[in-house]
Amino acid sequence: MSWPFDEFVPSRDFDTAEYGRLLRELHKFHGALAWAALSRADTIHLREALTALRSRLHAMRTDIDSAPYGQLDDLPCHGLGQLPAWRATHETETTLHATFEFTRWHIGGGGAAHGGMVTAVLDDAMGSCASSRGRVPVRTAYLNTTFRALTPVEVPLEVVVSVTKTEGRKLFVHGEIRHGQDICAEADGLFVIVTSDERRREPARAVTSAAAEGSGTLDGRAHASPAGQAPPMARSCPSQ
C-alpha cells in the first residue's frame, strides 16, 4: 500500500460504485443490528449466515495492493468502512466544516457516542484538512482530545477544523465536534507531512524521522505516537 494509492491493482471486473454500495449496506446492517431484539434462534441464524459470508471472503483473500479496502479515492474515507461518512459544507486550504451522524452502532456508555469513535472522526477530519484533502500525505503525530459534553447519536452533528500553525513539515490543527451550539468534543493535534522516501516505511518510522528534525521532538516535548493511531493516509470523507 502506498500514498497516494498508486500501487492498488483492482481485479479486472472490480466496480468501485458497487463496492461503495456494499460498504453503505454494511453500515446499515450495523445500525439495524444495534437496534434489534434478537431471539436465540435469530442470533444463531445471523451468526451462521455471517460465518458463511466470511468463508466466502476468506477464499478471496489477496495481497495488500490488490485489496480495495482503504485504497479508493472516490469513496467516503477512501473506502474505510469503520468511520461514519461526513459531508463537507465549507472548506478552504486551512479550514473544514462538515456534517455527519453517529448511529447506535457507535454508542459507548450512557447511550452517547463512544469516545474512541468521537476521536476517530476528529482525527480523520483534521488529517484531511492538514493533508489538503488528501493531496499531501500526512501522519498523526499526536491528538489530544477533550470531551466537553456527551455526543448524541442519530442527530446531525458538525465537525469544524482549522490549521492553526505550520512549521516546516509540521501542521498544528484544532478540531471540534458540535451539536447545535454545544461543543461536544475538541482536539488539538500535530500532523507531519510524509516525504516520498518515507511513504513505504512503517508508521512509527515516518513520524520518528520527522521528529528527528530540529529539536528531536515533534513540538519540543516528548509525545508517544503509537503505530496504528491513524490510517495510512488521512483523507477526506465526503458524502456517501
Side-chain angles (χ1 to χ4, degrees), residues 18-150:
E18 283 299 330
Y19 193 83
R21 295 185 185 100
L22 172 64
L23 292 179
R24 289 197 294 274
E25 194 60 40
L26 180 61
H27 290 161
K28 294 175 183 178
F29 176 84
H30 286 157
L33 178 60
W35 279 110
L38 300 175
S39 67
R40 184 175 186 275
D42 290 332
T43 303
I44 293 172
H45 174 73
L46 286 172
R47 175 179 56 77
E48 290 177 344
L50 286 174
T51 299
L53 288 172
R54 178 172 55 82
S55 296
R56 290 184 61 186
L57 290 172
H58 184 74
M60 304 174 197
R61 186 181 176 96
T62 184
D63 63 272
I64 192 170
D65 290 323
S66 299
Y69 187 80
Q71 303 195 78
L72 300 171
D73 288 327
D74 295 333
L75 293 185
C77 303
H78 51 93
L80 288 174
Q82 74 271 33
L83 295 174
W86 45 261
R87 177 194 298 272
T89 57
H90 175 76
E91 57 186 319
T92 67
E93 287 298 313
T94 58
T95 63
L96 172 68
H97 291 219
T99 58
F100 73 102
E101 289 187 15
F102 286 115
T103 71
R104 181 172 168 78
W105 182 257
H106 301 120
I107 65 171
H114 192 287
M117 292 306 306
V118 170
T119 300
V121 170
L122 284 167
D123 183 35
D124 187 70
M126 292 165 68
S128 178
C129 187
S131 70
S132 298
R133 295 302 299 273
R135 292 188 292 273
V136 180
V138 299
R139 285 273 187 203
T140 310
Y142 70 75
L143 190 70
N144 297 328
T145 305
T146 301
F147 300 97
R148 302 293 186 189
L150 294 178

